Amino acid sequence: MLLSLVVATAASSAVADPVGITKDTMSVTVPMGDGTVEITRNQDPNARLGEPWTQIARPCPAFCIQPMSPAPGVTTIGELEVLEFLQNGEALLVDGRIRPQYEEGTIPGAISVPYTEAADRLGEFGCEIDFDGWICEEEVATVVLFCNGPWCGQSPTAARRMIEAGFPAEKIYYYRGGMQGWNMLGLTVMPGTS
């Protein structure tokens, strides 16, 4: 009898409840240039993080824990806010990592603007070039910057460089969890395209 109860309990937990993004949201459909992508969470109850996302000890510098906000005026957000921005198209999702990392895997809908190029590419966000630098008026895009996670300085550096070049800090959102947080939650990742 006890063995039957254990087997029945194990079988019912093997057919676990679906893994949702929230209690009421199983997936988010994101418009992309060539169609749409559905972002879901991994449904495998045995799924585990793979490398490099399981590595917790990285030498500082360069892999120092980043502050919650990379610069005054920048708003830090989490996964649900990233999904909302992707769904409603109100912001550009910017992967600030170096291009090979982006090409290996990124958040669906993200564009590649490596942190070393961010201050030079403000025209892509609605700024106008001027003799003295950039003019960034109120109609500039809202951007969401991310990189590898709380120990990655690439997107915080991009944010600071963009602000120094004239981009308004209040138009920058920082997804601090980055790819490590995204992967930890089992959210959809796809190769970035240049």
Side-chain angles (χ1 to χ4, degrees):
M1 180 67 176
L2 180 60
L3 180 58
S4 298
L5 182 59
V6 170
V7 170
T9 303
S12 67
S13 64
V15 182
D17 291 331
V19 179
I21 293 172
T22 68
K23 180 178 74 158
D24 300 321
T25 306
M26 284 303 297
S27 67
V28 171
T29 302
V30 177
M32 307 251 317
D34 57 348
T36 61
V37 171
E38 185 177 22
I39 296 176
T40 62
R41 289 184 66 194
N42 188 321
Q43 298 297 307
D44 178 0
N46 295 312
R48 299 290 182 265
L49 284 176
E51 289 298 331
W53 312 115
T54 60
Q55 184 180 357
I56 60 169
R58 292 175 170 88
C60 172
F63 304 101
C64 302
I65 296 173
Q66 298 301 306
M68 191 55 75
S69 178
V74 174
T75 302
T76 302
I77 61 173
E79 294 77 17
L80 294 179
E81 293 81 10
V82 171
L83 289 168
E84 185 177 329
F85 276 126
L86 282 169
Q87 221 174 358
N88 65 28
E90 291 180 4
L92 292 173
L93 183 61
V94 177
D95 189 330
R97 301 175 301 156
I98 58 174
R99 197 154 282 109
Q101 291 174 326
Y102 166 79
E103 290 169 352
E104 188 174 298
T106 192
I107 298 171
I111 62 170
S112 176
V113 180
Y115 75 103
T116 55
E117 301 172 13
D120 298 326
R121 293 176 58 183
L122 295 183
E124 295 174 39
F125 307 136
C127 297
E128 299 287 330
I129 193 70
D130 184 285
F131 291 109
D132 296 324
W134 293 100
I135 298 171
C136 300
E137 301 292 335
E138 289 191 27
E139 55 275 349
V140 297
T142 298
V143 297
V144 176
L145 295 170
F146 73 93
C147 51
N148 283 314
W151 45 267
C152 179
Q154 293 175 94
S155 57
T157 298
R160 290 188 292 271
R161 288 179 178 171
M162 289 169 67
I163 293 165
E164 288 170 9
F167 198 83
E170 62 276 1
K171 297 291 265 182
I172 300 174
Y173 288 79
Y174 170 47
Y175 170 40
R176 185 173 181 261
M179 290 306 297
Q180 188 167 32
W182 195 262
N183 277 284
M184 178 189 72
L185 293 171
L187 291 163
T188 303
V189 172
M190 61 186 297
T193 57
S194 296

mmCIF file with all atom_site columns, all heavy atoms in Angstrom, residues 126-145:
data_model
loop_
_atom_site.group_PDB
_atom_site.id
_atom_site.type_symbol
_atom_site.label_atom_id
_atom_site.label_alt_id
_atom_site.label_comp_id
_atom_site.label_asym_id
_atom_site.label_entity_id
_atom_site.label_seq_id
_atom_site.pdbx_PDB_ins_code
_atom_site.Cartn_x
_atom_site.Cartn_y
_atom_site.Cartn_z
_atom_site.occupancy
_atom_site.B_iso_or_equiv
_atom_site.pdbx_formal_charge
_atom_site.auth_seq_id
_atom_site.auth_comp_id
_atom_site.auth_asym_id
_atom_site.auth_atom_id
_atom_site.pdbx_PDB_model_num
ATOM 1   N N   . GLY A 1 126 ? 17.781 57.901 -32.173 1.00 0.00 ? 126 GLY A N   1
ATOM 2   C CA  . GLY A 1 126 ? 17.062 59.140 -32.426 1.00 0.00 ? 126 GLY A CA  1
ATOM 3   C C   . GLY A 1 126 ? 17.829 60.420 -32.162 1.00 0.00 ? 126 GLY A C   1
ATOM 4   O O   . GLY A 1 126 ? 17.283 61.511 -32.307 1.00 0.00 ? 126 GLY A O   1
ATOM 5   N N   . CYS A 1 127 ? 19.092 60.334 -31.797 1.00 0.00 ? 127 CYS A N   1
ATOM 6   C CA  . CYS A 1 127 ? 19.897 61.530 -31.585 1.00 0.00 ? 127 CYS A CA  1
ATOM 7   C C   . CYS A 1 127 ? 20.415 62.048 -32.926 1.00 0.00 ? 127 CYS A C   1
ATOM 8   O O   . CYS A 1 127 ? 20.541 61.290 -33.886 1.00 0.00 ? 127 CYS A O   1
ATOM 9   C CB  . CYS A 1 127 ? 21.074 61.228 -30.660 1.00 0.00 ? 127 CYS A CB  1
ATOM 10  S SG  . CYS A 1 127 ? 20.598 60.708 -29.001 1.00 0.00 ? 127 CYS A SG  1
ATOM 11  N N   . GLU A 1 128 ? 20.715 63.321 -32.975 1.00 0.00 ? 128 GLU A N   1
ATOM 12  C CA  . GLU A 1 128 ? 21.264 63.958 -34.176 1.00 0.00 ? 128 GLU A CA  1
ATOM 13  C C   . GLU A 1 128 ? 22.720 64.314 -33.928 1.00 0.00 ? 128 GLU A C   1
ATOM 14  O O   . GLU A 1 128 ? 23.064 64.834 -32.865 1.00 0.00 ? 128 GLU A O   1
ATOM 15  C CB  . GLU A 1 128 ? 20.479 65.237 -34.510 1.00 0.00 ? 128 GLU A CB  1
ATOM 16  C CG  . GLU A 1 128 ? 19.012 65.019 -34.804 1.00 0.00 ? 128 GLU A CG  1
ATOM 17  C CD  . GLU A 1 128 ? 18.775 64.380 -36.156 1.00 0.00 ? 128 GLU A CD  1
ATOM 18  O OE1 . GLU A 1 128 ? 19.584 64.596 -37.076 1.00 0.00 ? 128 GLU A OE1 1
ATOM 19  O OE2 . GLU A 1 128 ? 17.768 63.649 -36.283 1.00 0.00 ? 128 GLU A OE2 1
ATOM 20  N N   . ILE A 1 129 ? 23.552 64.052 -34.926 1.00 0.00 ? 129 ILE A N   1
ATOM 21  C CA  . ILE A 1 129 ? 24.967 64.414 -34.809 1.00 0.00 ? 129 ILE A CA  1
ATOM 22  C C   . ILE A 1 129 ? 25.118 65.920 -34.985 1.00 0.00 ? 129 ILE A C   1
ATOM 23  O O   . ILE A 1 129 ? 24.390 66.537 -35.752 1.00 0.00 ? 129 ILE A O   1
ATOM 24  C CB  . ILE A 1 129 ? 25.838 63.627 -35.821 1.00 0.00 ? 129 ILE A CB  1
ATOM 25  C CG1 . ILE A 1 129 ? 27.323 63.750 -35.509 1.00 0.00 ? 129 ILE A CG1 1
ATOM 26  C CG2 . ILE A 1 129 ? 25.543 64.054 -37.225 1.00 0.00 ? 129 ILE A CG2 1
ATOM 27  C CD1 . ILE A 1 129 ? 27.757 63.027 -34.278 1.00 0.00 ? 129 ILE A CD1 1
ATOM 28  N N   . ASP A 1 130 ? 26.032 66.490 -34.247 1.00 0.00 ? 130 ASP A N   1
ATOM 29  C CA  . ASP A 1 130 ? 26.303 67.923 -34.274 1.00 0.00 ? 130 ASP A CA  1
ATOM 30  C C   . ASP A 1 130 ? 27.819 68.092 -34.306 1.00 0.00 ? 130 ASP A C   1
ATOM 31  O O   . ASP A 1 130 ? 28.557 67.151 -34.039 1.00 0.00 ? 130 ASP A O   1
ATOM 32  C CB  . ASP A 1 130 ? 25.702 68.558 -33.005 1.00 0.00 ? 130 ASP A CB  1
ATOM 33  C CG  . ASP A 1 130 ? 25.826 70.051 -32.975 1.00 0.00 ? 130 ASP A CG  1
ATOM 34  O OD1 . ASP A 1 130 ? 26.948 70.539 -32.720 1.00 0.00 ? 130 ASP A OD1 1
ATOM 35  O OD2 . ASP A 1 130 ? 24.826 70.751 -33.211 1.00 0.00 ? 130 ASP A OD2 1
ATOM 36  N N   . PHE A 1 131 ? 28.282 69.296 -34.575 1.00 0.00 ? 131 PHE A N   1
ATOM 37  C CA  . PHE A 1 131 ? 29.722 69.548 -34.609 1.00 0.00 ? 131 PHE A CA  1
ATOM 38  C C   . PHE A 1 131 ? 30.378 69.217 -33.271 1.00 0.00 ? 131 PHE A C   1
ATOM 39  O O   . PHE A 1 131 ? 31.511 68.769 -33.216 1.00 0.00 ? 131 PHE A O   1
ATOM 40  C CB  . PHE A 1 131 ? 30.010 71.011 -34.975 1.00 0.00 ? 131 PHE A CB  1
ATOM 41  C CG  . PHE A 1 131 ? 29.651 71.335 -36.391 1.00 0.00 ? 131 PHE A CG  1
ATOM 42  C CD1 . PHE A 1 131 ? 28.555 72.148 -36.661 1.00 0.00 ? 131 PHE A CD1 1
ATOM 43  C CD2 . PHE A 1 131 ? 30.373 70.816 -37.449 1.00 0.00 ? 131 PHE A CD2 1
ATOM 44  C CE1 . PHE A 1 131 ? 28.202 72.445 -37.968 1.00 0.00 ? 131 PHE A CE1 1
ATOM 45  C CE2 . PHE A 1 131 ? 30.025 71.106 -38.752 1.00 0.00 ? 131 PHE A CE2 1
ATOM 46  C CZ  . PHE A 1 131 ? 28.939 71.918 -39.015 1.00 0.00 ? 131 PHE A CZ  1
ATOM 47  N N   . ASP A 1 132 ? 29.653 69.447 -32.191 1.00 0.00 ? 132 ASP A N   1
ATOM 48  C CA  . ASP A 1 132 ? 30.206 69.221 -30.854 1.00 0.00 ? 132 ASP A CA  1
ATOM 49  C C   . ASP A 1 132 ? 29.830 67.876 -30.263 1.00 0.00 ? 132 ASP A C   1
ATOM 50  O O   . ASP A 1 132 ? 30.105 67.602 -29.109 1.00 0.00 ? 132 ASP A O   1
ATOM 51  C CB  . ASP A 1 132 ? 29.726 70.330 -29.906 1.00 0.00 ? 132 ASP A CB  1
ATOM 52  C CG  . ASP A 1 132 ? 30.245 71.696 -30.319 1.00 0.00 ? 132 ASP A CG  1
ATOM 53  O OD1 . ASP A 1 132 ? 31.395 71.766 -30.799 1.00 0.00 ? 132 ASP A OD1 1
ATOM 54  O OD2 . ASP A 1 132 ? 29.486 72.666 -30.175 1.00 0.00 ? 132 ASP A OD2 1
ATOM 55  N N   . GLY A 1 133 ? 29.157 67.028 -30.997 1.00 0.00 ? 133 GLY A N   1
ATOM 56  C CA  . GLY A 1 133 ? 28.728 65.727 -30.480 1.00 0.00 ? 133 GLY A CA  1
ATOM 57  C C   . GLY A 1 133 ? 27.300 65.420 -30.863 1.00 0.00 ? 133 GLY A C   1
ATOM 58  O O   . GLY A 1 133 ? 26.886 65.659 -31.992 1.00 0.00 ? 133 GLY A O   1
ATOM 59  N N   . TRP A 1 134 ? 26.522 64.926 -29.910 1.00 0.00 ? 134 TRP A N   1
ATOM 60  C CA  . TRP A 1 134 ? 25.153 64.497 -30.158 1.00 0.00 ? 134 TRP A CA  1
ATOM 61  C C   . TRP A 1 134 ? 24.147 65.457 -29.549 1.00 0.00 ? 134 TRP A C   1
ATOM 62  O O   . TRP A 1 134 ? 24.345 65.982 -28.465 1.00 0.00 ? 134 TRP A O   1
ATOM 63  C CB  . TRP A 1 134 ? 24.925 63.110 -29.547 1.00 0.00 ? 134 TRP A CB  1
ATOM 64  C CG  . TRP A 1 134 ? 25.705 62.030 -30.210 1.00 0.00 ? 134 TRP A CG  1
ATOM 65  C CD1 . TRP A 1 134 ? 26.878 61.481 -29.775 1.00 0.00 ? 134 TRP A CD1 1
ATOM 66  C CD2 . TRP A 1 134 ? 25.381 61.364 -31.431 1.00 0.00 ? 134 TRP A CD2 1
ATOM 67  N NE1 . TRP A 1 134 ? 27.288 60.505 -30.652 1.00 0.00 ? 134 TRP A NE1 1
ATOM 68  C CE2 . TRP A 1 134 ? 26.388 60.409 -31.679 1.00 0.00 ? 134 TRP A CE2 1
ATOM 69  C CE3 . TRP A 1 134 ? 24.332 61.469 -32.338 1.00 0.00 ? 134 TRP A CE3 1
ATOM 70  C CZ2 . TRP A 1 134 ? 26.382 59.572 -32.775 1.00 0.00 ? 134 TRP A CZ2 1
ATOM 71  C CZ3 . TRP A 1 134 ? 24.324 60.636 -33.434 1.00 0.00 ? 134 TRP A CZ3 1
ATOM 72  C CH2 . TRP A 1 134 ? 25.340 59.700 -33.655 1.00 0.00 ? 134 TRP A CH2 1
ATOM 73  N N   . ILE A 1 135 ? 23.028 65.624 -30.250 1.00 0.00 ? 135 ILE A N   1
ATOM 74  C CA  . ILE A 1 135 ? 21.883 66.349 -29.727 1.00 0.00 ? 135 ILE A CA  1
ATOM 75  C C   . ILE A 1 135 ? 20.777 65.302 -29.566 1.00 0.00 ? 135 ILE A C   1
ATOM 76  O O   . ILE A 1 135 ? 20.337 64.699 -30.544 1.00 0.00 ? 135 ILE A O   1
ATOM 77  C CB  . ILE A 1 135 ? 21.417 67.470 -30.674 1.00 0.00 ? 135 ILE A CB  1
ATOM 78  C CG1 . ILE A 1 135 ? 22.529 68.492 -30.857 1.00 0.00 ? 135 ILE A CG1 1
ATOM 79  C CG2 . ILE A 1 135 ? 20.142 68.118 -30.139 1.00 0.00 ? 135 ILE A CG2 1
ATOM 80  C CD1 . ILE A 1 135 ? 22.238 69.520 -31.934 1.00 0.00 ? 135 ILE A CD1 1
ATOM 81  N N   . CYS A 1 136 ? 20.359 65.091 -28.331 1.00 0.00 ? 136 CYS A N   1
ATOM 82  C CA  . CYS A 1 136 ? 19.353 64.073 -28.041 1.00 0.00 ? 136 CYS A CA  1
ATOM 83  C C   . CYS A 1 136 ? 18.138 64.763 -27.434 1.00 0.00 ? 136 CYS A C   1
ATOM 84  O O   . CYS A 1 136 ? 18.116 65.084 -26.248 1.00 0.00 ? 136 CYS A O   1
ATOM 85  C CB  . CYS A 1 136 ? 19.913 63.033 -27.084 1.00 0.00 ? 136 CYS A CB  1
ATOM 86  S SG  . CYS A 1 136 ? 21.376 62.166 -27.712 1.00 0.00 ? 136 CYS A SG  1
ATOM 87  N N   . GLU A 1 137 ? 17.147 65.016 -28.269 1.00 0.00 ? 137 GLU A N   1
ATOM 88  C CA  . GLU A 1 137 ? 15.921 65.695 -27.843 1.00 0.00 ? 137 GLU A CA  1
ATOM 89  C C   . GLU A 1 137 ? 14.953 64.682 -27.235 1.00 0.00 ? 137 GLU A C   1
ATOM 90  O O   . GLU A 1 137 ? 15.237 63.486 -27.176 1.00 0.00 ? 137 GLU A O   1
ATOM 91  C CB  . GLU A 1 137 ? 15.280 66.404 -29.047 1.00 0.00 ? 137 GLU A CB  1
ATOM 92  C CG  . GLU A 1 137 ? 16.183 67.429 -29.719 1.00 0.00 ? 137 GLU A CG  1
ATOM 93  C CD  . GLU A 1 137 ? 16.460 68.661 -28.867 1.00 0.00 ? 137 GLU A CD  1
ATOM 94  O OE1 . GLU A 1 137 ? 15.650 68.985 -27.991 1.00 0.00 ? 137 GLU A OE1 1
ATOM 95  O OE2 . GLU A 1 137 ? 17.507 69.295 -29.095 1.00 0.00 ? 137 GLU A OE2 1
ATOM 96  N N   . GLU A 1 138 ? 13.787 65.150 -26.856 1.00 0.00 ? 138 GLU A N   1
ATOM 97  C CA  . GLU A 1 138 ? 12.806 64.312 -26.161 1.00 0.00 ? 138 GLU A CA  1
ATOM 98  C C   . GLU A 1 138 ? 12.267 63.155 -26.988 1.00 0.00 ? 138 GLU A C   1
ATOM 99  O O   . GLU A 1 138 ? 11.769 62.187 -26.436 1.00 0.00 ? 138 GLU A O   1
ATOM 100 C CB  . GLU A 1 138 ? 11.655 65.174 -25.653 1.00 0.00 ? 138 GLU A CB  1
ATOM 101 C CG  . GLU A 1 138 ? 12.079 66.053 -24.513 1.00 0.00 ? 138 GLU A CG  1
ATOM 102 C CD  . GLU A 1 138 ? 10.896 66.705 -23.825 1.00 0.00 ? 138 GLU A CD  1
ATOM 103 O OE1 . GLU A 1 138 ? 9.792  66.140 -23.863 1.00 0.00 ? 138 GLU A OE1 1
ATOM 104 O OE2 . GLU A 1 138 ? 11.105 67.782 -23.265 1.00 0.00 ? 138 GLU A OE2 1
ATOM 105 N N   . GLU A 1 139 ? 12.343 63.225 -28.312 1.00 0.00 ? 139 GLU A N   1
ATOM 106 C CA  . GLU A 1 139 ? 11.788 62.150 -29.128 1.00 0.00 ? 139 GLU A CA  1
ATOM 107 C C   . GLU A 1 139 ? 12.745 60.968 -29.314 1.00 0.00 ? 139 GLU A C   1
ATOM 108 O O   . GLU A 1 139 ? 12.498 60.084 -30.118 1.00 0.00 ? 139 GLU A O   1
ATOM 109 C CB  . GLU A 1 139 ? 11.313 62.665 -30.490 1.00 0.00 ? 139 GLU A CB  1
ATOM 110 C CG  . GLU A 1 139 ? 12.337 63.397 -31.307 1.00 0.00 ? 139 GLU A CG  1
ATOM 111 C CD  . GLU A 1 139 ? 12.451 64.892 -30.947 1.00 0.00 ? 139 GLU A CD  1
ATOM 112 O OE1 . GLU A 1 139 ? 11.634 65.426 -30.218 1.00 0.00 ? 139 GLU A OE1 1
ATOM 113 O OE2 . GLU A 1 139 ? 13.428 65.501 -31.401 1.00 0.00 ? 139 GLU A OE2 1
ATOM 114 N N   . VAL A 1 140 ? 13.844 60.942 -28.563 1.00 0.00 ? 140 VAL A N   1
ATOM 115 C CA  . VAL A 1 140 ? 14.750 59.797 -28.665 1.00 0.00 ? 140 VAL A CA  1
ATOM 116 C C   . VAL A 1 140 ? 14.059 58.542 -28.126 1.00 0.00 ? 140 VAL A C   1
ATOM 117 O O   . VAL A 1 140 ? 13.117 58.617 -27.331 1.00 0.00 ? 140 VAL A O   1
ATOM 118 C CB  . VAL A 1 140 ? 16.087 60.042 -27.914 1.00 0.00 ? 140 VAL A CB  1
ATOM 119 C CG1 . VAL A 1 140 ? 16.848 61.197 -28.510 1.00 0.00 ? 140 VAL A CG1 1
ATOM 120 C CG2 . VAL A 1 140 ? 15.878 60.207 -26.438 1.00 0.00 ? 140 VAL A CG2 1
ATOM 121 N N   . ALA A 1 141 ? 14.531 57.408 -28.568 1.00 0.00 ? 141 ALA A N   1
ATOM 122 C CA  . ALA A 1 141 ? 13.957 56.129 -28.151 1.00 0.00 ? 141 ALA A CA  1
ATOM 123 C C   . ALA A 1 141 ? 14.241 55.859 -26.678 1.00 0.00 ? 141 ALA A C   1
ATOM 124 O O   . ALA A 1 141 ? 15.231 56.328 -26.116 1.00 0.00 ? 141 ALA A O   1
ATOM 125 C CB  . ALA A 1 141 ? 14.562 55.012 -29.001 1.00 0.00 ? 141 ALA A CB  1
ATOM 126 N N   . THR A 1 142 ? 13.370 55.072 -26.090 1.00 0.00 ? 142 THR A N   1
ATOM 127 C CA  . THR A 1 142 ? 13.645 54.496 -24.777 1.00 0.00 ? 142 THR A CA  1
ATOM 128 C C   . THR A 1 142 ? 14.434 53.229 -25.041 1.00 0.00 ? 142 THR A C   1
ATOM 129 O O   . THR A 1 142 ? 14.093 52.453 -25.937 1.00 0.00 ? 142 THR A O   1
ATOM 130 C CB  . THR A 1 142 ? 12.318 54.167 -24.055 1.00 0.00 ? 142 THR A CB  1
ATOM 131 O OG1 . THR A 1 142 ? 11.600 55.385 -23.859 1.00 0.00 ? 142 THR A OG1 1
ATOM 132 C CG2 . THR A 1 142 ? 12.568 53.492 -22.723 1.00 0.00 ? 142 THR A CG2 1
ATOM 133 N N   . VAL A 1 143 ? 15.510 53.012 -24.274 1.00 0.00 ? 143 VAL A N   1
ATOM 134 C CA  . VAL A 1 143 ? 16.332 51.820 -24.462 1.00 0.00 ? 143 VAL A CA  1
ATOM 135 C C   . VAL A 1 143 ? 16.395 51.019 -23.164 1.00 0.00 ? 143 VAL A C   1
ATOM 136 O O   . VAL A 1 143 ? 16.386 51.578 -22.071 1.00 0.00 ? 143 VAL A O   1
ATOM 137 C CB  . VAL A 1 143 ? 17.764 52.143 -24.953 1.00 0.00 ? 143 VAL A CB  1
ATOM 138 C CG1 . VAL A 1 143 ? 17.741 52.793 -26.321 1.00 0.00 ? 143 VAL A CG1 1
ATOM 139 C CG2 . VAL A 1 143 ? 18.513 52.997 -23.972 1.00 0.00 ? 143 VAL A CG2 1
ATOM 140 N N   . VAL A 1 144 ? 16.424 49.700 -23.322 1.00 0.00 ? 144 VAL A N   1
ATOM 141 C CA  . VAL A 1 144 ? 16.629 48.778 -22.213 1.00 0.00 ? 144 VAL A CA  1
ATOM 142 C C   . VAL A 1 144 ? 17.964 48.105 -22.470 1.00 0.00 ? 144 VAL A C   1
ATOM 143 O O   . VAL A 1 144 ? 18.118 47.389 -23.460 1.00 0.00 ? 144 VAL A O   1
ATOM 144 C CB  . VAL A 1 144 ? 15.498 47.728 -22.127 1.00 0.00 ? 144 VAL A CB  1
ATOM 145 C CG1 . VAL A 1 144 ? 15.797 46.723 -21.023 1.00 0.00 ? 144 VAL A CG1 1
ATOM 146 C CG2 . VAL A 1 144 ? 14.149 48.398 -21.905 1.00 0.00 ? 144 VAL A CG2 1
ATOM 147 N N   . LEU A 1 145 ? 18.924 48.356 -21.605 1.00 0.00 ? 145 LEU A N   1
ATOM 148 C CA  . LEU A 1 145 ? 20.261 47.784 -21.743 1.00 0.00 ? 145 LEU A CA  1
ATOM 149 C C   . LEU A 1 145 ? 20.418 46.554 -20.849 1.00 0.00 ? 145 LEU A C   1
ATOM 150 O O   . LEU A 1 145 ? 19.936 46.552 -19.713 1.00 0.00 ? 145 LEU A O   1
ATOM 151 C CB  . LEU A 1 145 ? 21.324 48.800 -21.332 1.00 0.00 ? 145 LEU A CB  1
ATOM 152 C CG  . LEU A 1 145 ? 21.475 50.054 -22.173 1.00 0.00 ? 145 LEU A CG  1
ATOM 153 C CD1 . LEU A 1 145 ? 22.391 51.050 -21.473 1.00 0.00 ? 145 LEU A CD1 1
ATOM 154 C CD2 . LEU A 1 145 ? 22.015 49.706 -23.542 1.00 0.00 ? 145 LEU A CD2 1
#
